[in-house]
Amino acid sequence: MKTPDTPPMVTTYSMWNQFRNCRKAAELRYLQHLVPLERDRHLHFGSLIHECLELWHGQRDLARVLDLIDRRCTARAQDEDQKRDWHLATAMMRAYAERYAEEEFEVFALEQVFEGPIVNPATGAASRSFRLAGKVDGIVRTGEEYFILEHKTASQIDSDYLERLWTDFQITLYAHYVEQTLGIPITGILYNVLVKARLQQSRGETEEEFEARRADLLAKSKTGRTTARRREPESDQDFQRRLAEKYADPAMFHRERLYLSREQFDILRAELWELTQAFLDARRRGVFYQNTSFCFNYQRPCPYFALCRSNGNPNVIENFYQRAEPNEELRVLPAGSSEPAF
Amino acid sequence: MPILPTTKTPPKPSLSDLTVLWYGQTKIGKSQTCAQADGAVFLATEPGLNALEVFQVPILSWEDLLAACAEIGEGKHPFKTVIVDTVDNAYKFCTEYILRKYKVEHESDLAYGKGYAIVNNEFQRVLTKLAFLPYGLYLISHAKEIEVETRTGKYTRIVPTLPEKARKIVLGMVDMVLYCDLDVSAGADGEQIIRRVIRTKPSLYYEAGDRTGRLPETIDLDYRKFLEAFQAAAGAPARPQAGPKQAK
């Protein structure tokens, strides 16, 4: 319960987006502070590339970027997922450094954090319950114009993907707050999209698999002979070479510049204010209902699906979740930095 | 003197109202312990009860299990605790039943992961129905080690041998998750003392839990002692479960 002395709750776009999609999930994450015990593997690659890009745009030193990838994937000799991430990130960043050896913009800030009030658009009064904080990947300057730099990794870039950038509520909102809190006039967003190659390193075939394939070929052969040889596993060098060829394709990187209108800011401010009122109402009444349409968004279960299905069984909370402070994304550490040893 | 109560009585759930998952390494004594439950009947999905004198129904297929459950549901019997030994094999039978029903060789033969979902739904349907019957339900599983990658690093965790999704279903419906383990300590003369125990509270290194909040953290693997601990606490207010681990 909020008292007059309670400081406003610092919120992020992620919280409001989750609240909009499923109130129950927002309550579990932002009021109960629950997160799944197991780390989501899908997020590892995106985080790694963001860190690489921050380092690259800050220092433009490819050797340091590659060293960072090596350090983030130290278990790649035993861990297949890490090995896959290492190969992809190495090839992607090598090609990126070559492709954008010269930039048309000047980096003004990287990993810029902001925090500001959430304002009632009707009265201009700031919310006493919430503030909004966030972090942008970068702010860049082209001539006299400033753009928010937003990195994205994508499986493919098609017309739907590019059209969807216009509906990016988060970045438009961030642009507004960067203007308001840092006093930097933002002209638009520069989306920096990197495509994830779908190539897989060939594992080769086992003796049994080879024998089975050879037997098949012999059965079909009119001469009763075959020149088939056992396929050897693809070496790291060969796979890197294949990835490099793939990343030589200009379509693997894309820059899209979107210009923002002031009307967009007004719509977003009004929507954000509405969300704050709905959240206050839900918190006051203690009712955060599930949106079951979002249980399998992105073709995989929501991180809280097991908990909702068990009707909040504490055994599920204790064995599959842990408590972690919200808004972890606001934590600022320079790219490539390691945790202190002591 | 007023006869109306001035305070609420604490809930006193009977063990025969609860659903409990027992798991641990092979031959540690899970079945032997459960066999001492009040009015126990085993739905024996795997051999291994030969050394015990128990009431048992041999279960060789999911249809066998459904038939046994239906008879239990009718209530014309003296049993009070139903023990599925093991729930791992019950899940395998459930999978085979669905594969036969849909005429496929593997769950993945049904498009878009539908096979896995159908198996899990059928498994959950039957266990939920069984749990709603007015009998205790004990599910027995073996233990395995898995590598878990968390935000703070990787570590090895001991979990029931059920497949991941089935494990989440079972853990979500049970009142207690009891891990049967060996506890090694040093005696007064420095000699190793090994005893078989039940661990009732969760840890980073194994799955366990007690939503009644009545059990101590460790109990000897002995049904009498388990019952004593549960009943001793039944008169006392329930201890809240310890909160989940804090992320570093």
Side-chain angles (χ1 to χ4, degrees), chain A residues 189-208:
Chain A
I189 317 292
L190 177 60
Y191 284 100
N192 180 33
V193 190
L194 297 85
V195 179
K196 288 183 277 187
R198 291 180 184 173
L199 303 180
Q200 300 284 328
Q201 186 171 16
S202 168
R203 290 163 178 260
E205 58 188 351
T206 61
E207 190 64 40
E208 293 74 33

Side-chain angles (χ1 to χ4, degrees), chain B residues 94 98 101-102 110 113-123:
Chain B
C94 179
I98 294 297
K101 188 172 170 182
Y102 287 85
L110 290 170
K114 210 163 69 176
Y116 296 98
I118 295 170
V119 171
N120 289 331
N121 286 350
E122 169 68 3
F123 182 66

Side-chain angles (χ1 to χ4, degrees), chain A residues 44 48 51 67-74 82 335-338:
Chain A
H44 180 255
L48 174 62
E51 215 181 336
D67 177 58
L68 169 68
I69 298 169
D70 288 351
R71 282 188 287 122
R72 290 289 180 266
C73 302
T74 45
Q82 275 201 15
S337 63
S338 52

Side-chain angles (χ1 to χ4, degrees), chain A residues 34-39 41 79 306 309-310 312-325 328, chain B residues 124 148-151 154-155 157 167 169 171-172 174-175 202 207-211 241-242 244-247:
Chain A
L34 292 177
V35 288
L37 197 58
E38 288 197 51
R39 201 170 69 156
R41 288 266 352 136
D79 186 324
R309 186 172 49 187
S310 75
N313 187 332
N315 289 332
V316 173
I317 295 179
E318 292 186 346
N319 286 291
F320 297 130
Y321 296 88
Q322 63 182 162
R323 296 201 193 271
E325 287 301 311
E328 289 171 309
Chain B
Q124 185 172 17
V148 179
E149 187 173 358
T150 71
R151 302 158 162 247
K154 282 186 180 179
Y155 58 90
R157 197 172 202 210
R167 203 173 97 234
I169 291 172
L171 256 73
V174 299
D175 300 293
E207 288 180 349
D210 164 29
R211 70 183 298 182
Q241 281 192 287
K245 286 72 60 181
Q246 193 77 24

